[in-house]
Amino acid sequence: MFNNLDSYNIILASGSPRRQQFLKDLGLKFTIQLKEVNEVFPKHLRGSEITDFLAELKSQQFKELKENEILITSDTIVWLNNSAIGKPKDKEDAIRILNELSGKKHEVITSICIRTIDKKVITNDITTVYFKELTSEEIDFYINHYSPFDKAGSYGIQDWIGLIGVDKIEGSYFNVMGLPVHKLYIELSKF
């Protein structure tokens, strides 16, 4: 479907297995390149401004793109009560975060930065997620049997907690998993 991209080498700068799978599912050929990034953002930024900033910051680590390369970087946060929630630091932090999300709605915001040697596009998507009241037993079970430590908000909607704890969502399911695939498709189709 992406005949327009045949002459490009696509670089995905993400260690996320979910993002990698999404690109495979789109039929894209790509390589993975990771660079260390200190994910610090100015405190005055809010919501999608944060993820836009961090996705672009990650792309800036790739100083020397070649003529035929497309770089894709991305960042996801959970936005609750006017503050950003990233990945948990440890088990206690994951418990605290899930207790905070319990019984409330929050937003999952993901930004994508697509860059070539002479073009840069930043786009984002926002999905609202409604959690039921979670019991401490459900939170403990999830943390002990699944891997919430590499996920913004300490959960994966595709995991057990998504099956039992999410009442509804408004927006893209794939965005909650870490990539607004429909927006990536639209932007790559323009190359």
Side-chain angles (χ1 to χ4, degrees), residues 59-180:
S59 94
Q60 290 169 356
Q61 306 310 302
F62 293 79
K63 307 280 188 228
E64 302 284 329
L65 284 180
K66 295 186 179 114
E67 190 81 30
N68 67 332
E69 291 180 327
I70 296 176
L71 174 68
I72 300 170
T73 57
S74 188
D75 193 77
T76 300
I77 61 167
V78 166
W79 186 251
L80 176 71
N81 298 330
N82 252 351
S83 74
I85 300 172
K87 298 170 187 168
K89 293 187 267 310
D90 53 31
K91 183 177 179 177
E92 289 71 34
D93 196 32
I95 291 169
R96 180 192 62 76
I97 290 169
L98 288 172
N99 275 310
E100 223 177 297
L101 297 177
S102 176
K104 298 185 187 106
K105 73 175 181 176
H106 62 272
E107 293 178 329
V108 177
I109 307 169
T110 303
S111 293
I112 306 167
C113 180
I114 305 165
R115 207 181 68 168
T116 63
I117 199 165
D118 57 2
K119 181 178 177 180
K120 177 177 69 179
V121 177
I122 299 172
T123 187
N124 63 61
D125 202 31
I126 300 172
T127 304
T128 304
V129 179
Y130 295 79
F131 260 113
K132 75 170 190 86
E133 286 284 343
L134 298 168
T135 67
S136 57
E137 292 82 13
E138 290 167 338
I139 291 172
D140 285 341
F141 177 83
Y142 177 64
I143 291 170
N144 291 327
H145 292 85
Y146 293 84
S147 182
F149 303 106
D150 68 337
K151 298 171 179 77
S154 301
Y155 78 94
I157 194 167
Q158 70 279 10
D159 293 341
W160 181 83
I161 202 140
L163 297 173
I164 66 100
V166 174
D167 283 332
K168 70 175 179 173
I169 68 169
E170 294 168 356
S172 167
Y173 175 81
F174 300 108
N175 184 55
V176 183
M177 286 180 67
L179 196 68

Side-chain angles (χ1 to χ4, degrees), residues 1-2 4-5 114 119 182-191:
M1 192 65 206
F2 286 110
N4 58 321
L5 299 179
I114 305 165
K119 181 178 177 180
H182 61 294
K183 293 208 170 179
L184 177 64
Y185 175 79
I186 289 166
E187 294 304 331
L188 288 178
S189 296
K190 295 175 185 175
F191 278 83

Side-chain angles (χ1 to χ4, degrees), residues 27-50:
L28 293 171
K29 292 184 179 114
F30 61 95
T31 59
I32 298 163
Q33 292 184 31
L34 304 175
K35 299 210 180 215
E36 280 294 314
V37 180
N38 187 11
E39 295 185 28
V40 176
F41 55 88
K43 295 298 174 207
H44 69 276
L45 297 181
R46 296 285 173 256
S48 62
E49 294 171 337
I50 295 169

